[in-house]
Amino acid sequence: MLIVLEKGTAEAQIQAVINAVEKRGYEARPIPGGDRVSIGVLHNKGSVDAGHFLGLEGVKEVIPVTKPYKLVSREFQQENTLVKVGNAVFGDGSLPVIAGPCAVESEEQLLSIAGSVKEAGASLLRGGAFKPRTSPYSFQGMGEEGLKLLSRAREETGLPVVTEVLDVENFDLVEAYADVIQIGTRNMQNFSLLRRAGKSHRPVILKRGMSALLQEWLMAAEYIMEEGNCNVILCERGVRTFVRHSRNTLDLSVVPAVKKESHLPVIVDPSHASGVRDQVIPLAHASAALGADGVMIEVHNKPEEAVSDGAQSLYPGQFADVMRKMNAIHTIVGNS
Ligand code: PEP
Ligand code: MN
């Protein structure tokens, strides 16, 4: 349930409404909004009687929330959430691009890629230091050494860094180095990790589980927001289907569906969605046309030598070309 207050309601009246909600054993969560102050009612089991609140001073209306997710829903918050990182804003209609290697491999590799993606206009640098690999025998990432290299690349280029956290155990460590924390597809429903991310002061990129319904994905985001972290960016990265011509199937239609259901920004990762370079390029263009709130692309200076995801990593020159085209497409189509 959402309690909408009159414009300009005094602080004391807002507090009185909060007290009335809490007195009934529910949690009251003030929701930021333009000129509309609202209070979300959480932790109710079953429906709440609107009559308890309708007569209170300052209350304009009481809206029942029909969705199982609350804090992430547009019913709760009509305005887009804006997630600001460095010079980038996710959710304001612009198209910030996150680019970099799948994994941090060496100083030379990372600094070279960081320099070229910055030059091409990327707003954030990505790179995994802890890698979720299907095989325990594959490269698992450089760990803290990789995080230090990301810091070094940030110093050198000024680009904020995005890196993945795999578990609660290493959360503090990753949080100390990352500007944005990524929760990967395999961890989308790792609820203890989501709760820990909800206590973080860092923005979180929450990738869609490889077979997750929109509702399950939003519920995962709800875990993070419920703990108090409102800076959540959703990332579509392809879902598993019957096809064999690409690694996954990029679910383009989920972007407008997310925007209808949620105020959270949603970005697209065409790299993990397709798994092959020649598909990444047109899918990146499509992402720019779609009204996505950002794009994440893997780039490598020597893809043929990459320790992971070389086949889907763009050469720096290709990335620069994709950036030019995405910007041109975004200018034409806009994002309303
Ligand atoms: C990644 O972005 O490094 C990654 C492992 O992606 P995903 O979780 O989407 O597979
Ligand atoms: Mn990868």
Side-chain angles (χ1 to χ4, degrees):
M1 175 179 284
L2 190 66
I3 304 173
V4 184
L5 304 182
E6 302 281 1
K7 205 171 147 185
T9 301
E11 205 46 54
Q13 285 164 352
I14 297 175
Q15 195 53 51
V17 176
I18 291 173
N19 293 345
V21 171
E22 289 175 350
K23 211 178 92 193
R24 302 208 160 258
Y26 312 132
E27 186 189 327
R29 184 78 69 99
I31 311 284
D35 56 358
R36 191 178 83 145
V37 181
S38 307
I39 293 166
V41 179
L42 301 178
H43 296 297
N44 53 300
K45 296 186 181 59
S47 64
V48 181
D49 185 354
H52 296 316
F53 312 110
L54 270 173
L56 298 176
E57 210 177 332
V59 173
K60 184 171 173 223
E61 56 179 329
V62 175
I63 304 172
V65 174
T66 53
K67 301 288 159 55
Y69 35 85
K70 295 167 189 275
L71 296 168
V72 305
S73 77
R74 274 235 191 255
E75 284 182 326
F76 252 55
Q77 182 185 311
Q78 287 169 349
E79 294 82 12
N80 286 345
T81 283
L82 306 185
V83 179
K84 296 178 187 157
V85 189
N87 296 327
V89 183
F90 295 87
D92 70 346
S94 61
L95 190 72
V97 175
I98 304 166
C102 181
V104 179
E105 299 169 18
S106 69
E107 178 164 342
E108 185 269 324
Q109 172 245 19
L110 188 65
L111 294 185
S112 161
I113 298 168
S116 39
V117 300
K118 158 122 189 185
E119 169 104 25
S123 309
L124 290 93
L125 175 68
R126 61 148 288 147
F130 292 93
K131 294 301 302 173
R133 303 305 299 279
T134 301
S135 165
Y137 308 116
S138 301
F139 175 66
Q140 304 286 305
M142 291 182 75
E144 187 168 7
E145 211 43 51
L147 296 174
K148 287 185 178 155
L149 292 180
L150 285 166
S151 284
R152 173 109 175 68
R154 172 177 46 218
E155 274 165 32
E156 192 112 324
T157 59
L159 293 179
V161 300
V162 179
T163 197
E164 180 164 354
V165 65
L166 291 188
D167 43 41
V168 173
E169 198 184 329
N170 282 310
F171 206 106
D172 291 355
L173 179 68
V174 174
E175 192 178 41
Y177 288 94
D179 296 290
V180 179
I181 287 173
Q182 177 171 310
I183 294 185
T185 198
R186 292 156 189 82
N187 265 321
M188 188 204 83
Q189 282 187 317
N190 180 337
F191 299 115
S192 48
L193 189 63
L194 297 174
R195 284 201 186 282
R196 175 61 186 85
K199 295 190 176 78
S200 178
H201 53 286
R202 302 284 187 207
V204 176
I205 290 179
L206 178 64
K207 292 191 125 187
R208 181 182 183 185
M210 60 184 82
S211 302
L213 298 174
L214 170 56
Q215 184 167 321
E216 292 164 335
W217 188 18
L218 294 179
M219 278 302 204
E222 185 86 10
Y223 268 86
I224 301 173
M225 288 194 71
E226 208 269 325
E227 292 291 340
N229 189 348
C230 301
N231 287 315
V232 181
I233 300 166
L234 301 165
C235 178
E236 158 63 23
R237 47 78 71 202
V239 288
R240 180 155 297 178
T241 67
F242 55 87
V243 306
R244 293 284 177 270
H245 62 270
S246 66
R247 184 171 170 182
N248 292 292
T249 298
L250 182 57
D251 182 7
L252 291 171
S253 67
V254 87
V255 171
V258 166
K259 285 174 171 288
K260 187 159 176 236
E261 292 297 308
S262 177
H263 51 82
L264 293 175
V266 54
I267 66 170
V268 176
D269 169 355
S271 304
H272 292 90
S274 63
V276 279
R277 195 175 298 128
D278 60 359
Q279 291 180 13
V280 172
I281 295 170
L283 290 178
H285 298 159
S287 308
L290 193 58
D293 295 304
V295 183
M296 178 188 277
I297 300 180
E298 286 188 343
V299 178
H300 202 288
N301 55 338
K302 294 176 190 157
E304 55 296 330
E305 290 173 23
V307 294
S308 63
D309 287 347
Q312 70 195 31
S313 299
L314 300 191
Y315 289 89
Q318 288 179 310
F319 176 67
D321 190 48
V322 163
M323 283 295 287
R324 277 190 289 276
K325 292 192 175 129
M326 285 196 305
N327 285 331
I329 293 166
H330 186 252
T331 305
I332 295 169
V333 178
N335 182 1
S336 50

